[in-house]
Amino acid sequence: MRLALVTGSLGLVGSAVARAFARNGLLVIGMDNDMRRHYFGADASNAWQRQVLEEELGSLYQHHSIDVCDGRTVHALLASVGRQVAAVVHCAAQPSHDWAARSPLVDFAVNASGTLNLLEAARLAAPEAIFIHMSTNKVYGDRPNALPLIDRGSRLDLAEEHPYWPHGVDESLSVDACVHSVFGASKLAADVMVQEYGRYFGLRTVVLRGGCISGPAHAGAEAHGFLSYLCRCAVTGTTYRVIGHGGKQVRDNIHADDLAEAIYRLHETPPSPGEVFNVGGGRDNAVSVNEAIDIVETLLGGTVSREPLSEPRLGDHRWYITDNRKLAAALPGWSPATSVTDVIEQNIAAMQKRWL
């Protein structure tokens, strides 16, 4: 049987990818040791997702509690399945700006060295597999903050005369000479190495630079998971801290299932080795923090308690909307299908089920 190895398989993206591949008849080897509990505490643990996947996918899901930093065990796992592997989808990461700054060595070990462990294991044991890496728009550092922005009341937005209007940021944006955050730097190291294993070694690698990703499987924490954590605060009556920019900073949001569909289709029709794609919700699914709070309040029929903080996170984007056109050209007919309002509504329902 052909199979897919999915790292971070208990996480938001990894669990959606596991479902997408299993639905299409592939055996999914899931790799996740619930480091999210270590990063963000027991409330943000993804351990519950293992039982859900095993019940939903049955014999098409096999779980391994392996740390990507454990190169020997990662190599042994890939060697045990070898050329049966159709795809390696690398979703495991340390995902937080704030956490990375507190522990740079662990952050780099997970994001950069862990990715290298997986690349080398794939090169030796499964060289024909497509290797799809979930990178991040944070590899662009704070370069988007140099874009000419206009205050439109509830949000900041790009000046209409700019070449990125109206579609958003494309893959031409430089990753150099800017502030990345420690997290952004470790993810950039991984991003470039994945490209290099494609261009230098000929491994069929793909880099996906994601924007904000959300969905009801997200165990949101303040340090990571914007929409999920906002919905959790709204449902539980917790004060939501608006960190900088007056809440006018803008993010586009993509549902994890829409992203997983793109990943599965990339496995079916691999692009050139080392190819890079931006992927996100696009302009139609972009909201400011203020606008997201307004949507939550409308859906819940109440007021979200909020606390504005004047200082933004170092290197944080004031505005980021993803230009999906390169990915859409590679995957004819694909586009994000779930609206940001529907994503928020699903998150609210998930949080009500979990916390009430």
Side-chain angles (χ1 to χ4, degrees):
M1 174 179 280
R2 299 290 281 167
L3 60 86
L5 175 68
V6 180
T7 71
S9 59
L10 302 185
L12 172 68
V13 178
S15 61
V17 169
R19 290 182 176 92
F21 277 84
R23 277 197 306 268
N24 286 280
L26 278 80
L27 172 64
V28 175
I29 305 296
M31 224 178 84
D32 197 310
N33 63 337
D34 194 25
M35 278 293 285
R36 196 173 178 87
R37 175 186 288 270
H38 176 67
Y39 303 142
F40 308 127
D43 286 352
S45 168
N46 286 325
W48 57 273
Q49 185 71 255
R50 176 176 176 176
Q51 182 178 351
V52 173
L53 287 175
E54 288 174 343
E55 289 177 353
E56 284 185 19
L57 306 182
S59 62
L60 288 177
Y61 182 77
Q62 295 179 6
H63 189 81
H64 296 261
S65 184
I66 295 174
D67 189 336
V68 292
C69 297
D70 181 356
R72 185 186 298 262
T73 306
V74 169
H75 278 251
L77 178 61
L78 263 295
S80 71
V81 290
R83 299 184 185 268
Q84 293 173 279
V85 182
V88 176
V89 185
H90 184 31
C91 305
Q94 190 297 111
S96 168
H97 286 257
D98 298 338
W99 203 96
R102 293 194 296 270
S103 190
L105 291 176
V106 173
D107 174 75
F108 197 87
V110 173
N111 289 346
S113 299
T115 301
L116 183 56
N117 284 336
L118 200 63
L119 280 165
E120 184 65 2
R123 183 176 76 90
L124 295 175
E128 298 304 315
I130 181 169
F131 189 108
I132 301 174
H133 173 63
M134 275 309 306
S135 186
T136 170
N137 60 18
K138 300 305 185 292
V139 300
Y140 295 120
D142 65 354
R143 278 219 170 264
N145 290 346
L147 296 171
L149 301 178
I150 298 169
D151 189 331
R152 299 191 187 274
S154 64
R155 67 158 68 185
L156 299 171
D157 207 346
L158 191 64
E160 294 182 12
E161 62 271 16
H162 194 276
Y164 286 163
W165 174 273
H167 301 288
V169 176
D170 66 26
E171 296 80 3
S172 68
L173 187 66
S174 174
V175 298
D176 293 321
C178 54
V179 176
H180 285 88
S181 79
V182 173
F183 162 74
S186 67
K187 289 294 287 185
L188 178 58
D191 183 306
V192 173
M193 190 60 80
V194 173
Q195 293 182 56
E196 199 64 19
Y197 263 66
R199 295 190 171 97
Y200 190 88
F201 290 118
L203 208 65
R204 299 196 298 169
T205 62
V206 181
V207 172
L208 295 177
R209 293 175 176 166
C212 280
I213 308 163
S214 196
H218 208 179
E222 184 176 32
H224 177 251
F226 157 48
L227 286 183
S228 176
Y229 183 69
L230 169 59
C231 293
R232 173 179 165 181
C233 287
V235 165
T236 60
T238 305
T239 297
Y240 181 80
R241 301 197 309 162
V242 179
I243 303 176
H245 306 302
K248 296 184 180 184
Q249 62 267 47
V250 170
R251 303 286 185 271
D252 65 337
N253 299 269
I254 187 169
H255 195 292
D257 289 348
D258 292 332
L259 176 56
E261 180 192 352
I263 288 171
Y264 181 80
R265 289 191 56 189
L266 282 169
H267 133 268
E268 290 186 306
T269 55
S272 301
E275 200 66 76
V276 174
F277 298 96
N278 288 351
V279 59
R283 175 165 287 276
D284 288 346
N285 293 307
V287 288
S288 68
V289 173
N290 292 331
E291 291 165 346
I293 292 173
D294 289 343
I295 294 170
V296 171
E297 290 180 336
T298 298
L299 291 171
L300 285 175
T303 300
V304 175
S305 173
R306 68 184 88 178
E307 177 188 357
L309 302 179
S310 59
E311 290 299 317
R313 293 184 175 98
L314 182 64
D316 201 20
H317 294 159
R318 295 191 299 157
W319 178 94
Y320 191 93
I321 292 176
T322 303
D323 184 346
N324 282 316
R325 286 180 295 172
K326 181 180 176 183
L327 182 59
L331 303 175
W334 177 86
S335 66
T338 313
S339 73
V340 67
T341 299
D342 286 343
V343 172
I344 292 173
E345 191 167 24
Q346 290 179 28
N347 278 333
I348 288 173
M351 291 301 167
Q352 287 172 330
K353 182 177 180 180
R354 185 171 184 187
W355 294 104
L356 296 185

